[in-house]
């Protein structure tokens, strides 16, 4: 009977494997602390990590690809059904590892076809939501990266619930797994075609877990989505945007929402730490080396706040030199919101102005409002959130110094 070498450095002979295993220790222990008795959730591991794991346990690296195909492409999470693995290996995996997905608490469908899943994670009062937006030619899944959010954007309802914790890689990729395989079972053979990290949370403040999940979204042995079809959306965590450039080239969306620092400080408080000129410099570097890349700027339309022609003029001045498109998002209301959505006429005028100055501008259609599935309406309503609120108060104190893992 072999003993599992969870992350044994001894067993990883090549320097490359050692580096991977070191990274794995950091990642897995950070998000999923292991004791000798606790099983490793293999959904936390991208291909490089899985290969290192198998090598460390005297198996060939190709086992990683086999496992990923079973799990992500065929939707099988029972080791015993993985028939191209030996009985011994299946037993070993069953004894020491697991493939644990978030639990579906509820699934809702909007009149316009938008669907929302409420998912319970770690069987506790932690819940997150993900939203599927079906369109003629694509099925876009909006994925959450954190339980709550620390950023406290003044117009976002996720902010109001505070911050509880980062999602693990397994919990992030698990959202795609659940929805993709539900669609396939329902007869939509293509499943999810696009992923946007625009659900709850700030993806760049959960950097390592998000990147490992994004790796799997794009991996040929998993979901094989093209990098153009995976979008990370950020409120502007500048150092993490710089780091992102080193590790991936998926599409980037930036939640700008205001054309000057004075207003953006009020709407998106992280602007106090990373003001607009720093944010735009990071946008430039993200696309500079890639001719085909464009940044998507998101701009929520708030009545009487950021929606005048003067704001449009300032905005054009800011972004005109950047290969980009502009998404105008009509504000989605929620109880006790202090803002209202701009009038349609003003949204159209704003769009006409920016378009006439050469900025590709699209007004995003609100989807799923009747089930609170639209942008900024996701709150993961589930259980009592008093603990979350306490953490939120603490996190507010830290907003001036948002911590980012380097
Ligand atoms: N933290 C990331 C991703 C999550 S929010 C970010 O800030 O980009 C996804 C998008 O929805 C962001 O552009 C956000 O600003 C926008 N949004 C949040 N609340 C909204 C609301 N009530 N109405 C419309 N858009 C909203």
């Amino acid at each position: 009977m072999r003993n599992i070498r969870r992350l044994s450095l001894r067993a990883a002979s090549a320097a490359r494997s050692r580096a991977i295993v070191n990274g794995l220790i950091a990642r897995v222990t950070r998000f999923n602390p292991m004791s000798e008795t606790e099983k490793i959730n293999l959904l936390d591991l991208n291909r490089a990590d899985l290969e290192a794991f198998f090598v460390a346990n005297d198996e060939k690296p190709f086992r990683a690809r086999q496992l990923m195909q079973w799990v992500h492409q065929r939707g099988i999470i029972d080791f015993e059904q993985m028939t191209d693995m030996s009985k011994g290996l299946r037993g070993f995996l069953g004894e020491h590892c697991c493939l644990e997905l978030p639990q579906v608490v509820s699934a809702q469908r909007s009149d316009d076809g938008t669907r929302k899943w409420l998912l319970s994670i770690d069987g506790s009062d932690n819940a997150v939501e993900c939203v599927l937006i079906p369109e003629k030619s694509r099925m876009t899944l909006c994925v959450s990266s954190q339980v709550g959010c620390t950023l406290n954007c003044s117009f976002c309802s996720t902010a109001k619930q505070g911050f509880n914790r980062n999602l693990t890689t397994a919990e992030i990729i698990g959202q795609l797994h659940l929805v993709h395989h539900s669609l396939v079972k329902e007869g939509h053979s293509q499943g999810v075609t696009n992923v946007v990290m625009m659900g709850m949370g700030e993806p760049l403040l959960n950097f390592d877990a998000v990147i490992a999940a994004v790796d799997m979204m794009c991996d040929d042995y998993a979901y094989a989505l093209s990098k153009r079809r995976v979008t990370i959306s950020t409120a502007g965590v500048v150092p993490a945007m710089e780091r992102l450039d080193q590790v991936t080239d998926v599409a980037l969306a930036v939640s700008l929402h205001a054309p000057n620092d004075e207003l953006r400080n009020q709407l998106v408080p992280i602007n106090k730490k990373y003001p607009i000129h720093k944010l735009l410099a990071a946008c430039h570097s993200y696309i500079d080396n890639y001719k085909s890349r464009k940044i998507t700027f998101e701009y929520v339309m708030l009545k009487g706040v950021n929606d005048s022609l003067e704001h449009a003029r300032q905005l054009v001045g800011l972004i005109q030199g950047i290969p980009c498109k502009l998404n105008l998002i009509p504000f989605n209301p929620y109880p006790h919101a202090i803002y209202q959505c701009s009038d349609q006429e003003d949204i159209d005028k704003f769009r006409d102005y920016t378009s006439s100055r050469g900025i590709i501008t699209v007004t995003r259609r609100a989807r799923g409002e009747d089930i609170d599935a639209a942008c900024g309406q996701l709150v993961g309503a589930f259980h009592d959130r008093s603990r979350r609120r306490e953490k939120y108060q603490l996190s507010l104190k830290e907003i001036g110094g948002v911590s980012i893992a380097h």
Side-chain angles (χ1 to χ4, degrees):
M1 180 73 189
R2 54 183 157 175
N3 278 322
I4 190 167
R5 282 175 221 137
R6 288 178 182 282
L7 308 158
S8 158
L9 285 174
R10 248 181 322 138
S13 48
R16 189 177 154 274
S17 302
R18 264 201 302 277
I20 292 167
V21 172
N22 274 328
L24 180 60
I25 291 170
R27 166 123 40 88
V28 176
T29 50
R30 177 130 63 100
F31 295 114
N32 188 12
M34 289 181 296
S35 69
E36 275 309 301
T37 52
E38 199 176 342
K39 290 186 173 184
I40 300 172
N41 189 355
L42 294 183
L43 283 172
D44 273 316
L45 312 188
N46 64 9
R47 175 138 57 103
D49 292 342
L50 271 178
E51 284 176 355
F53 170 79
F54 279 112
V55 168
N57 286 286
D58 303 329
E59 286 288 342
K60 293 273 189 278
F62 75 84
R63 295 292 184 201
R65 302 197 293 271
Q66 282 182 323
L67 186 100
M68 288 179 83
Q69 284 180 307
W70 280 111
V71 174
H72 298 293
Q73 297 189 341
R74 298 180 195 129
I76 301 292
I77 52 166
D78 173 4
F79 295 120
E80 278 312 309
Q81 290 182 43
M82 301 182 182
T83 46
D84 54 5
M85 301 209 186
S86 70
K87 219 166 174 266
L89 177 56
R90 291 188 327 237
F92 171 76
L93 292 175
E95 193 177 338
H96 299 288
C97 306
C98 61
L99 291 161
E100 214 170 271
L101 292 165
Q103 297 292 310
V104 177
V105 178
S106 65
Q108 285 173 280
R109 197 187 289 254
S110 152
D111 294 339
D112 67 17
T114 302
R115 294 163 74 174
K116 180 170 89 166
W117 285 263
L118 179 64
L119 306 172
S120 144
I121 51 177
D122 55 42
S124 67
D125 64 349
N126 282 328
V128 291
E129 292 174 323
C130 62
V131 174
L132 180 75
I133 304 145
E135 285 165 302
K136 255 196 212 116
S137 56
R138 58 186 174 190
M139 290 275 191
T140 304
L141 183 66
C142 179
V143 166
S144 293
S145 56
Q146 298 182 311
V147 188
C149 190
T150 55
L151 293 186
N152 203 25
C153 297
S154 58
F155 52 86
C156 178
S157 69
T158 302
K160 306 292 171 266
Q161 70 170 274
F163 173 71
N164 197 338
R165 72 163 171 83
N166 281 331
L167 294 183
T168 62
T169 299
E171 290 158 351
I172 298 168
I173 201 68
Q175 298 170 55
L176 176 56
H177 188 288
L178 284 168
V179 175
H180 179 79
H181 292 289
S182 305
L183 288 179
V184 171
K185 275 191 201 122
E186 291 167 13
H188 302 280
S189 53
Q190 234 195 326
V192 174
T193 61
N194 295 60
V195 173
V196 291
M197 303 280 321
M198 293 184 187
M200 294 163 63
E202 167 54 47
L204 293 190
L205 288 180
N206 185 11
F207 195 90
D208 292 341
V210 164
I211 294 304
V214 162
D215 284 348
M216 283 185 254
M217 292 170 191
C218 299
D219 196 304
D220 284 347
Y221 292 90
Y223 300 93
L225 297 178
S226 105
K227 292 187 163 71
R228 281 176 302 116
R229 288 173 177 267
V230 176
T231 302
I232 293 182
S233 178
T234 181
V237 188
V238 167
M241 287 168 71
E242 288 160 0
R243 211 175 144 212
L244 191 66
D245 194 26
Q246 319 289 314
V247 295
T248 186
D249 57 354
V250 294
L252 184 64
V254 172
S255 294
L256 194 54
H257 303 318
N260 59 64
D261 283 323
E262 197 188 346
L263 183 54
R264 196 163 191 269
N265 285 347
Q266 291 168 30
L267 302 179
V268 187
I270 197 178
N271 193 69
K272 292 177 198 154
K273 193 163 167 67
Y274 307 116
I276 290 176
H277 74 277
K278 288 196 177 155
L279 176 60
L280 295 185
C283 292
H284 268 295
S285 4
Y286 195 70
I287 49 175
D288 267 358
N289 299 325
Y290 301 85
K291 285 214 173 72
S292 58
R293 267 190 196 170
K294 275 193 176 73
I295 302 276
T296 300
F297 287 109
E298 293 161 278
Y299 196 98
V300 64
M301 297 300 291
L302 305 170
K303 186 174 181 157
V305 176
N306 65 353
D307 62 349
S308 70
L309 281 182
E310 173 55 21
H311 291 118
R313 198 188 58 75
Q314 288 180 22
L315 180 62
V316 168
L318 277 184
I319 64 177
Q320 210 162 28
I322 303 176
C324 68
K325 51 186 189 180
L326 176 64
N327 255 352
L328 301 181
I329 315 175
F331 172 68
N332 294 307
Y334 51 86
H336 311 298
I338 54 171
Y339 299 104
Q340 287 176 301
C341 183
S342 308
D343 294 336
Q344 189 59 47
E345 200 190 334
D346 291 330
I347 298 178
D348 292 347
K349 276 192 200 152
F350 199 100
R351 182 204 55 209
D352 291 345
Y353 182 88
T354 53
S355 301
S356 71
R357 297 300 187 277
I359 311 277
I360 302 163
T361 309
V362 176
T363 307
R364 198 185 285 169
R365 203 156 50 95
R367 300 281 308 253
E369 282 172 300
D370 52 330
I371 56 166
D372 288 346
C375 281
Q377 291 183 322
L378 303 187
V379 289
F382 189 19
H383 281 314
D384 171 50
R385 295 213 190 90
S386 49
R387 200 160 50 99
R388 222 180 263 176
R389 279 204 200 92
E390 263 167 43
K391 289 199 179 183
Y392 173 55
Q393 294 307 334
L394 281 175
S395 73
L396 277 184
K397 286 191 195 141
E398 287 162 12
I399 272 181
V402 177
S403 67
I404 300 143
H406 286 280

